[in-house]
Amino acid sequence: MGEVYAELYVKQDGDYFARTERSTFIDAYSLLEPDGSVLVISRSPGTSRNITAYALMARLVESGLIKEVWPLSFGSTSIFPVKRLPREHHRGYVLELPPDEDGFQIHDSFGSNLRDVRDHLGPRHSRLIVITTPEQWRRIGRGAPEDVAPSLGAARPADVAERWLRAEEPNFPVAAWLKRPRMKSLLEGQSPTEVLRIVELMREARRTALRAITEASVGLDALQLRRAEAAADTDEAIDKQVAEVAAARDNWEDDLHEWHEELGRTSFQRNFLVTAAVLRGAPVGHIYAKAADLSKALEGDTVEVTGQKAPGVIAMTRAIHAERTKEGVLNFRRPHWDDAALEYFWTDRPLARVRFLEWLAQAPLDEPKLAMESVDVDYRRALAERIGDFAVRWAVRHRRQEPLEEIVKTWHKNPKKGLWPLATSLLDDAAVHPASAPYIHTMLLAWAGRKIEAALPLAVVSVCAGKFGRTHTGKALRRLRHAAESEHAEVAEALQDAVRTLWADVSVRPLLFKDIVAWCGNEKIKDTVGRQTFAALATVAGPDSLDIPLILDNPGHGDDEDFRPSPEELVKGWRTLLREGPGPTGTRQVDKAVFLWLDAALRHHPLKYVILHTLRKAVDVRGTEEGRVLRETLRACAHGWVQGEDRPFSDEREAVRQELGALLDEDLYAAVQEQEEASGAGTSVKGTDTA
């Protein structure tokens, strides 16, 4: 399978559009025209495969062949059965297969199952695009219909660059740039993803050249602006810009070395460059103050930025080869100069990394100083977003999680600053973005097993409760298993949201509930993770029912995915929940669960037997002190359900309570009889459950 990238462009009013000049794209579209069509798009990880998919689907919508486009979640199992496909008509579906990893692989039968998928989609006039990778498809594609994975051809790097530039920037002098020998050598042999990075450097170099020309004069009219473009597009100017792109691809190392070692260069100037690179788009006054903070963090020296002793903003801006806009924001005169400056710092100053990371994470938490007295809460949040975006980009680009890890741990330690939700949101977005997802998924798996600090597994659980959990449910479930081994109470509480998110995917329920039951049986975490996760399903009602507990709310679709937990599993969960012990009723999780379940038993007669007998068996632990405690807890909760604060007495509830009590008494009597028989036979009995 080749790359089909050159014919596509994106981002017009937030929607995806596609060019149709290449026959390969038209052929791919034609394969989706018949009802029940399935198309497999295979690309290397990190490329925007979903752009191709949604562009093709957009064509189908415009042609009236389908009405809507829906993404599909693969689910938690290795097999994607036909019954998981929705039953709506005239729909387009995009199914992105989760990458294989240790402990999870798509089943080899996936390709052969596509024949059944076609038979399901055809009568409903629907279509499906499957997104995978070449390596994965070679393994799972055996037996697939021959026409679902056509060879769409490999686009030459120069073609990718040309078509992307013409689509994104029609006035760009594409031919003049691409005929340069140095430009040809830069593009040769590059993947589409790398080509697009080079294209962005090309656009940035030209924008910088235009800005330098136009800012030299004020109030240019349209004719003068066109002349400025002409000046930026001369052969001499293009040669200079191409040289800058080549230097940017090498991270400007030679130029940065000369800059850092220039006679008279100060540490404050170096720190100002690093700060400006991190806080791209921030007001220069804020960068100035933060550079002083960084100097103190790294060198221990206090730079007096409130007076006139230190060089001012104008001098510092010129020292780092930047320009100030009218809005007071810094722009670098060279493409990729900011990222290259950070890379240079990281490589050149290894012993400063720890303090740099501490400064980075602390920057949005500091209270405003005199130089920043106009900075409000909204701006401080924007600053945190900039730093978070930098940390994500750095982690993905360099496969280094240190900045991101430090931010997550520091922001977690300062809950009053309100940046923790922002940290988890950044991670969640990165976990579902095609370019960053592969590395972020690996990082989250590693974080899930970190048991010393709460922040990292807590971040993983929070992400699993978000878009990542809904999109990659199988992967989320695996990461939750590792995070559940954490003994931190915060992690156990956060698991509730994640469990409810994953429970919405019917295919996940059997494995998810199996894990919850296992956590309820783990002595180390049964009273934290086990109790919290079972309570997540036992204390709330289902979304489409009246007071039916979520765990029992199975609307029934007439297929094998209508999951119903076994009585034995429910009993294990309830025993863990009832271990909360007797006490004042009405506010605890065990009370909420008992109240909800007994309400369901009262109002939904078919569930009455299941509920009463589950509760009965949960407390029937004979010969132990545990049984007595569980039974007392259940009796107290049932009494509070009948009558309590804000709950007037009800004859109907009292009747259900008495029925439950009779069952408990019956088991208690049986336990007494067994004990007497055992004693009569001379058997030693330790402990008692009959009190």
Side-chain angles (χ1 to χ4, degrees):
M1 297 279 306
E3 304 280 2
V4 188
Y5 216 111
E7 76 285 358
L8 296 176
Y9 69 93
V10 295
K11 292 270 180 117
Q12 271 192 7
D13 300 326
D15 293 325
Y16 293 113
F17 292 85
R19 295 170 65 93
T20 58
E21 289 134 0
R22 285 177 62 89
S23 61
T24 51
F25 178 76
I26 297 174
D27 291 340
Y29 168 74
S30 66
L31 291 172
L32 285 167
E33 290 184 306
D35 291 335
S37 298
V38 176
L39 176 64
V40 176
I41 297 179
S42 176
R43 292 250 183 92
S44 301
T47 57
S48 296
R49 295 165 286 165
N50 58 344
I51 294 176
T52 307
Y54 284 101
L56 289 166
M57 287 295 184
R59 284 282 308 278
L60 292 173
V61 173
E62 292 168 2
S63 302
L65 297 177
I66 59 175
K67 297 178 180 178
E68 294 179 299
V69 181
W70 283 13
L72 288 181
S73 171
F74 184 83
S76 64
T77 62
S78 62
I79 297 175
F80 186 83
V82 175
K83 60 195 174 189
R84 292 216 63 218
L85 289 167
R87 290 164 171 75
E88 285 78 9
H89 290 242
H90 298 285
R91 293 279 173 81
Y93 303 106
V94 177
L95 172 65
E96 184 166 4
L97 302 185
D100 298 332
E101 62 182 22
D102 293 340
F104 181 86
Q105 282 191 333
I106 304 295
H107 198 272
D108 295 349
S109 63
F110 180 85
S112 58
N113 287 343
L114 291 180
R115 300 180 186 276
D116 295 334
V117 170
R118 277 181 162 183
D119 294 339
H120 176 93
L121 294 174
R124 294 169 175 79
H125 311 289
S126 297
R127 281 87 173 161
L128 171 68
I129 293 180
V130 178
I131 300 175
T132 180
T133 62
E135 296 77 13
Q136 189 180 59
W137 181 248
R138 280 193 290 270
R139 183 179 62 80
I140 67 175
R142 291 189 296 272
E146 293 182 2
D147 56 347
V148 301
S151 177
L152 299 176
R156 294 188 314 116
D159 289 340
V160 175
E162 177 184 355
R163 295 181 183 275
W164 200 272
L165 283 166
R166 293 193 187 282
E168 290 287 325
E169 201 163 329
N171 295 328
F172 196 96
V174 178
W177 273 74
L178 296 184
K179 73 179 183 181
R180 261 58 181 181
R182 198 167 188 180
M183 202 71 243
K184 290 180 180 179
S185 64
L186 278 176
L187 292 170
E188 186 176 357
Q190 299 293 342
S191 69
T193 303
E194 288 303 314
V195 170
L196 294 187
R197 288 175 180 164
I198 295 173
V199 165
E200 192 52 42
L201 290 176
M202 295 165 66
R203 298 177 63 199
E204 188 177 343
R206 185 170 182 265
R207 284 196 299 266
T208 302
L210 280 172
R211 187 166 59 243
I213 295 171
T214 56
E215 288 183 355
S217 303
V218 180
L220 298 181
D221 58 24
L223 177 59
Q224 290 171 319
L225 288 174
R226 286 196 295 272
R227 288 175 179 170
E229 284 192 349
D233 296 336
T234 63
D235 288 343
E236 182 180 357
I238 290 177
D239 286 338
K240 181 181 178 181
Q241 294 166 48
V242 169
E244 289 183 341
V245 171
R249 286 286 292 170
D250 291 332
N251 276 325
W252 293 101
E253 185 167 313
D254 292 339
D255 297 78
L256 281 166
H257 174 73
E258 292 180 8
W259 185 88
H260 277 79
E261 302 305 320
E262 185 178 315
L263 186 64
R265 181 69 64 218
T266 67
S267 63
F268 186 37
Q269 290 172 340
R270 296 187 182 102
N271 291 330
F272 190 82
L273 174 62
V274 172
T275 305
V278 172
L279 305 180
R280 290 193 301 190
V284 66
H286 193 50
I287 293 174
Y288 187 63
K290 286 301 175 186
D293 288 345
L294 181 57
S295 295
K296 186 174 183 179
L298 297 184
E299 285 93 32
D301 298 332
T302 299
V303 180
E304 297 293 342
V305 293
T306 56
Q308 298 199 59
K309 185 176 181 179
V313 165
I314 296 174
M316 299 299 289
T317 300
R318 294 183 179 182
I320 66 171
H321 302 310
E323 298 168 341
R324 296 189 328 279
T325 67
K326 296 177 181 178
E327 294 77 23
V329 174
L330 295 185
N331 283 324
F332 289 103
R333 297 170 184 166
R334 294 171 172 175
H336 192 59
W337 183 259
D338 48 357
D339 285 335
L342 287 168
E343 178 68 20
Y344 189 95
F345 167 79
W346 190 267
T347 304
D348 194 48
R349 305 287 175 174
L351 301 185
R353 292 174 184 173
V354 172
R355 291 182 178 177
F356 167 72
L357 294 179
E358 292 172 351
W359 166 85
L360 183 73
Q362 191 67 29
L365 302 175
D366 293 339
E367 295 300 327
K369 298 182 179 179
L370 292 177
M372 303 180 298
E373 57 189 9
S374 62
V375 175
D376 57 16
V377 174
D378 291 338
Y379 174 75
R380 286 159 58 74
R381 179 177 176 83
L383 171 62
E385 289 177 350
R386 287 190 186 95
I387 289 178
D389 287 339
F390 157 74
V392 170
R393 284 187 288 109
W394 182 267
V396 173
R397 181 175 300 172
H398 300 287
R399 297 299 189 262
R400 290 174 178 152
Q401 60 178 316
E402 295 94 339
L404 198 51
E405 179 178 331
E406 186 67 25
I407 284 173
V408 167
K409 291 192 292 188
T410 301
W411 292 3
H412 173 257
K413 291 177 184 176
N414 296 271
K416 293 182 179 179
K417 301 295 185 179
L419 296 183
W420 176 251
L422 176 60
T424 58
S425 177
L426 286 168
L427 288 171
D428 195 21
D429 290 340
V432 297
H433 192 283
S436 54
Y439 177 73
I440 297 297
H441 291 183
T442 302
M443 186 190 73
L444 290 175
L445 185 58
W447 284 10
R450 299 277 289 273
K451 301 179 182 179
I452 298 177
E453 60 276 299
L456 299 183
L458 179 62
V460 173
V461 173
S462 299
V463 171
C464 290
K467 290 177 287 188
F468 171 72
R470 293 189 293 271
T471 305
H472 302 284
T473 48
K475 284 192 166 191
L477 184 57
R478 184 184 177 206
R479 282 146 184 79
L480 286 182
R481 290 177 190 142
H482 290 285
E485 297 177 3
S486 168
E487 298 181 16
H488 296 282
E490 284 182 285
V491 177
E493 292 175 5
L495 275 166
Q496 289 195 324
D497 290 334
V499 163
R500 288 170 184 156
T501 295
L502 297 183
W503 191 260
D505 187 335
V506 177
S507 71
V508 175
R509 293 180 181 180
L511 284 177
L512 176 59
F513 196 66
K514 181 179 179 181
D515 285 339
I516 292 174
V517 172
W519 298 335
C520 288
N522 187 321
E523 288 297 329
K524 289 185 177 180
I525 60 173
K526 65 190 306 180
D527 292 327
T528 54
V529 172
R531 180 181 301 160
Q532 294 282 10
T533 52
F534 181 76
L537 304 179
T539 59
V540 297
D544 301 320
S545 64
L546 296 175
D547 298 321
I548 296 179
L550 186 62
I551 200 171
L552 300 179
D553 183 32
N554 296 285
H557 297 292
D559 55 42
D560 295 337
E561 290 196 6
D562 182 20
F563 170 71
R564 294 183 183 277
S566 69
E568 295 78 15
E569 292 173 325
L570 290 174
V571 166
K572 289 180 181 179
W574 263 105
R575 279 183 183 163
T576 301
L577 189 55
L578 288 166
R579 281 168 60 92
E580 200 167 357
T585 59
T587 59
R588 302 173 304 160
Q589 288 186 325
V590 65
D591 304 319
K592 291 176 63 177
V594 170
F595 287 15
L596 178 64
W597 285 55
L598 292 182
D599 278 339
L602 178 63
R603 299 173 185 175
H604 304 277
H605 193 267
L607 292 176
K608 184 177 180 181
Y609 176 85
V610 172
I611 291 173
L612 294 187
H613 282 265
T614 296
L615 296 175
R616 171 190 190 181
K617 292 296 183 183
V619 302
D620 189 11
V621 187
R622 303 182 185 184
T624 66
E625 174 67 13
E626 179 186 13
R628 185 185 65 80
V629 174
L630 297 179
R631 190 169 55 253
E632 286 184 4
T633 303
L634 180 58
R635 289 187 187 276
C637 292
H639 178 78
W641 173 69
V642 172
Q643 184 176 14
E645 187 176 354
D646 298 326
R647 293 179 68 85
F649 178 82
S650 165
D651 290 331
E652 292 80 5
R653 289 198 296 271
E654 174 62 18
V656 173
R657 186 190 72 82
Q658 289 184 6
E659 186 174 349
L660 174 62
L663 294 173
L664 301 184
D665 291 340
E666 182 179 327
D667 292 335
L668 182 60
Y669 177 77
V672 172
Q673 293 296 108
E674 290 175 3
Q675 187 179 41
E676 290 179 352
E677 292 175 2
S679 299
T683 303
S684 176
V685 180
K686 294 183 179 181
T688 180
D689 181 33
T690 59

